[in-house]
Amino acid sequence: MKTRPFGKTGLYFPSIIFGSSALGNLFQAYSKAEKKAILKEAFSKTSPYTVFDTAGKYGAGLALEVLGEFLEEEGIPQEKVIITNKLGWTRIPLTTPEPLFEPNIWKGIKHDAVQKISYNGVLECFEKDNLLLKGHVPQLISLHDPDEFLDKAKTEEEREGLWEELLGAISAMSELKESGMVKGIGVGAKDWKIIKEIYNQVPLDYVMVANSHSLIHHPPELMDFLELLRKDNVGVIIAAVFQSGFLTGEDFFDYKKLDIADPKDQKKIQWRSLFFEVCKRHDVAPFHACIQFSLAVPGVTSIALSVNKPELVEKNILASETSLPQEFWQELKDKSLISGLPYL
């Protein structure tokens, strides 16, 4: 796979990095054998190293645990894997029949998780996550879900208090970078406006924009922010380009099951039907269009894709390296399915 500089981190990233939510049993439980097969395929199809994005939130640490065990069992050295780890959630004992931190999302897991965004909380997450990774220290760390963290505030005063905790968490990450423990720090969030708010106050080496940029949703204000990041040489990863599988035909959108009685969901489904018609006319697979659309954005280095089947690894890599005809993009523009972006 071809690589390019990832911001100012000194690292080089391929177009596709591997998400790990399936390793944490997102939406369904996968066997250890299934997960090992996915990981083996990822390493066999990438060189000279493989890049994984993970988080303590995924399966309440299960994704970290599975990845760490695989790296140890296979004897994969540190220089053969780059790990970006999102900090802010850590596992706790499961005391209820089902986990409480994200009900009905993670299946068959044996722990719960709690959000810990603060100076000490992030350091705790970093230490515990590294233990689960069997000593493979992530080269990059980011703050996970600061948008959800701030949303807990009921008053402006409460938000100011949470904001100070958030800045403390970033300060802890900065110290880890200054000490040489990691090469870069960032923020990963579903609400890109929170990423921008943080970036306006503190320097970041990279960002992960999730659930915000896709074929169906790419507001001009976000595009302006991505252009600012490009000019500032900040690494950009786009995640959730399929909108939880919706753009490839699944029944979820942003981790929530669609309600066909909801007018907003009806509008999304109508958009998808028109999109699928254009794809069929041009013999383009919807997943291929999603991948190419986000990679086309100036300044975007990589997209993070979680795969739940080994055969998807090579398909996604090939899709990232194969451009689509201009006529396809033009028809999407003509039908107002995407904005008239100048680079497409």
Side-chain angles (χ1 to χ4, degrees), residues 74 88 106 227 319 324 342:
E74 297 296 315
W106 306 98
E227 175 61 14
L324 295 173

Side-chain angles (χ1 to χ4, degrees), residues 7-26:
K8 294 171 281 192
T9 65
L11 299 171
Y12 283 73
F13 268 31
S15 296
I16 298 291
I17 68 173
F18 297 102
S20 57
S21 56
L23 303 183
N25 289 350
L26 179 68

Side-chain angles (χ1 to χ4, degrees), residues 4-13 17 84 140-142 183-188 195 199 203-209 225-239 297-303:
R4 339 180 233 185
F6 187 52
K8 294 171 281 192
T9 65
L11 299 171
Y12 283 73
F13 268 31
I17 68 173
T84 73
L140 301 173
I141 54 175
S142 63
K183 292 183 178 294
I185 65 167
V187 171
I195 299 177
Y199 185 66
L204 299 171
D205 300 304
Y206 74 103
V207 303
M208 175 177 280
V209 178
F225 178 52
L226 293 177
E227 175 61 14
L228 171 66
L229 295 174
R230 183 192 69 79
K231 290 179 178 177
D232 291 348
N233 197 22
V234 174
V236 176
I237 301 169
I238 302 291
V297 180
V300 171
T301 306
S302 309
I303 61 173

